[in-house]
Amino acid sequence: MANENANGNQHTVTRSPPPPSPLRFSKFFQSNMRILVTGGAGFIGSHLVDKLMENEKNEVIVVDNYFTGSKDNLKKWIGHPRFELIRHDVTETLLVEVDRIYHLACPASPIFYKYNPVKTIKTNVIGTLNMLGLAKRVGARILLTSTSEVYGDPLEHPQKEEYWGNVNPIGVRSCYDEGKRVAETLMFDYHRQHGIEIRIARIFNTYGPRMNIDDGRVVSNFIAQAIRDEPLTVQAPGTQTRSFCYVSDMVDGLIRLMEGEHTGPINIGNPGEFTMMELAENVKELINPEVSVKIVENTPDDPRQRKPNITKAKELLGWEPKITLREGLPFMEEDFRQRLGVPKKQIN
Ligand SMILES: NC(=O)c1ccc[n+]([C@@H]2O[C@H](COP(=O)([O-])OP(=O)(O)OC[C@H]3O[C@@H](n4cnc5c(N)ncnc54)[C@H](O)[C@@H]3O)[C@@H](O)[C@H]2O)c1
Ligand SMILES: O=C(O)[C@H]1O[C@H](OP(=O)(O)OP(=O)(O)OC[C@H]2O[C@@H](n3ccc(=O)[nH]c3=O)[C@H](O)[C@@H]2O)[C@H](O)[C@@H](O)[C@@H]1O
């Protein structure tokens, strides 16, 4: 068996994959697909769970250690007969019987992934090894949520999947970006050596309702600051760019990748590119025109530009994002206002 990689090369697979569970082909309704979502109590994970639970043939198991996620994000499913929530750290082995593994468990906000960098590396390396071991034992297909951070501070713009990146291996972000790079390597080695069915998504900055209010990422920071009448903290120089994808588009892309025929890596993101100053101006205009913008010190190794080339996602998955930044920000504002208990001011 052979599979195409992002460069169009063939990866030779030496063994056939383990046989999947007979349930996948069961004639009579039980649950056709038993799906594990690691990190399912987090921001993207909980939206993914909502979408997967819409299909009554899916049974969903979430494992999460609640480091950055919360049971609150899943409260509508707790007690549902097709849903199970397990407090578990992916750095420990896990024995469950499943057909699909969406492997998201990993803190994503720089503040949180830098808080305990050794634990972040363990989560990416040991956590991914454990999930691959599980996939191998039960013959499950596994999808890894990798990141645009594997491109580091990119010297190529926009970033195509073929680009190998410009990553500092010893910097304060390395626990995350190098951790994800090793996780991708492990995925391909298990694929080549053991025939595991793999999928790799390279996710670009995603935002939406349910992000932690004090998550520290830029969109959640600006929205919370605008609602609280606090200055928007643009980290210097403010000309650095990001491309922001709304969470429902992201979930749609991840499911298409999982159920499609291509291993990836495939970029999933919205190519609309903004400087941080432009983002601040959009938030100001849409949410609170009276708020000020303050330039503050940046953190080391902050990538200067980031924009996905999504040709592969379009051609191979028939996917492209639908929601623009200016359409998505108000949905997030509504969620943040509700959680902060601050209604929108009436403008006369
Ligand atoms: N949101 C983005 O912009 C973005 C971009 C690129 C990649 N990603 C990737 O997508 C995934 C989800 O990101 P998110 O934005 O939802 O972040 P998040 O922090 O909201 O969710 C991560 C979840 O993983 C859990 N977790 C962390 N370490 C764990 C461990 N050792 N064992 C079990 N659970 C653990 C957390 O408690 C949390 O519920 C991550 O893998 C992240 O690297 C996200
Ligand atoms: O999409 C990705 O691949 C990665 O993107 C983000 O990393 P980053 O882009 O650095 O995310 P933010 O912390 O939101 O920072 C974005 C930009 O906003 C700036 N920023 C951040 C916070 C703030 O208050 N003000 C501000 O100007 C930062 O300097 C940076 O240039 C995520 O945190 C990672 O989990 C994810 O893997």
Side-chain angles (χ1 to χ4, degrees):
M1 188 187 139
N3 245 303
E4 244 181 53
N5 73 1
N7 305 316
N9 298 329
Q10 301 282 304
H11 293 294
T12 307
V13 171
T14 51
R15 293 179 54 178
S16 11
S21 150
L23 262 186
R24 252 200 231 175
F25 310 105
S26 102
K27 235 172 157 182
F28 305 103
F29 177 81
Q30 301 179 43
S31 124
N32 281 0
M33 221 28 110
R34 295 162 309 171
I35 304 172
L36 173 65
V37 182
T38 76
F43 159 54
I44 299 179
S46 62
H47 285 279
L48 174 64
V49 169
D50 288 352
K51 192 71 192 169
L52 295 171
M53 285 294 292
E54 276 176 20
N55 181 344
E56 62 174 29
K57 293 195 169 179
N58 288 338
E59 196 177 288
V60 176
I61 302 174
V62 165
V63 301
D64 202 295
N65 70 353
Y66 308 125
F67 175 48
T68 51
S70 151
K71 282 185 201 168
D72 219 39
N73 289 335
L74 296 167
K75 61 176 182 272
K76 73 174 172 192
W77 301 118
I78 293 172
H80 193 289
R82 288 187 287 108
F83 179 76
E84 216 175 317
L85 177 58
I86 305 172
R87 181 190 288 266
H88 176 82
D89 195 301
V90 292
T91 58
E92 302 290 334
T93 52
L94 176 71
L95 296 176
V96 288
E97 310 303 315
V98 289
D99 308 293
R100 296 277 190 268
I101 303 170
Y102 285 91
H103 180 37
L104 280 72
C106 178
S109 162
I111 290 182
F112 287 90
Y113 70 63
K114 289 190 260 187
Y115 167 77
N116 183 345
V118 173
K119 180 63 197 275
T120 301
I121 295 177
K122 284 186 180 172
T123 296
N124 277 318
V125 179
I126 303 172
T128 304
L129 264 171
N130 284 337
M131 290 309 115
L132 282 161
L134 173 64
K136 181 174 162 224
R137 182 177 66 80
V138 299
R141 181 180 296 176
I142 178 169
L143 179 150
L144 170 76
T145 51
S146 184
T147 166
S148 62
E149 295 219 19
V150 300
Y151 302 121
D153 187 13
L155 305 176
E156 236 186 71
H157 195 73
Q159 293 80 51
K160 288 202 289 268
E161 291 85 348
E162 288 79 4
Y163 178 50
W164 287 355
N166 175 38
V167 178
N168 175 358
I170 55 166
V172 291
R173 296 177 85 102
S174 312
C175 58
Y176 184 76
D177 49 33
E178 292 287 30
K180 290 281 187 183
R181 286 167 71 97
V182 174
E184 288 196 13
T185 307
L186 283 167
M187 293 281 287
F188 267 95
D189 282 337
Y190 265 75
H191 174 61
R192 283 184 288 250
Q193 196 173 331
H194 300 297
I196 303 299
E197 291 185 74
I198 60 158
R199 304 287 184 266
I200 297 177
R202 289 195 181 142
I203 298 181
F204 283 65
N205 298 62
T206 301
Y207 70 100
R210 284 191 205 147
M211 286 184 89
N212 281 327
I213 286 167
D214 297 309
D215 182 274
R217 283 180 273 187
V218 68
V219 182
S220 45
N221 272 7
F222 285 0
I223 291 187
Q225 288 161 343
I227 293 174
R228 288 166 166 157
D229 286 320
E230 293 168 0
L232 309 186
T233 53
V234 172
Q235 293 176 350
T239 49
Q240 69 273 33
T241 66
R242 294 292 186 274
S243 305
F244 298 102
C245 185
Y246 191 68
V247 66
S248 56
D249 283 332
M250 179 54 57
V251 164
D252 178 36
L254 294 178
I255 294 175
R256 279 171 191 254
L257 174 60
M258 176 66 105
E259 296 309 328
E261 297 304 313
H262 302 275
T263 58
I266 295 191
N267 291 337
I268 314 267
N270 189 322
E273 185 185 10
F274 297 84
T275 67
M276 292 311 102
M277 197 50 100
E278 285 167 346
L279 174 67
E281 268 146 24
N282 274 285
V283 169
K284 190 172 150 105
E285 188 192 324
L286 291 169
I287 300 178
N288 183 355
E290 280 153 32
V291 84
S292 62
V293 173
K294 182 167 95 179
I295 301 284
V296 298
E297 200 184 329
N298 206 338
T299 53
D301 291 340
D302 183 44
R304 281 165 293 184
Q305 52 181 358
R306 206 186 267 166
K307 171 183 168 141
N309 175 315
I310 58 164
T311 310
K312 279 210 158 66
K314 280 187 189 162
E315 286 175 359
L316 303 179
L317 309 178
W319 177 88
E320 62 184 314
K322 298 191 179 81
I323 300 190
T324 63
L325 182 66
R326 286 180 71 87
E327 287 166 342
L329 288 175
F331 297 135
M332 197 163 158
E333 177 193 0
E334 203 181 306
D335 170 65
F336 269 43
R337 284 196 183 280
Q338 230 167 47
R339 286 194 280 155
L340 287 167
V342 183
K344 202 167 174 79
K345 287 178 206 155
Q346 296 302 323
I347 302 164
N348 299 312

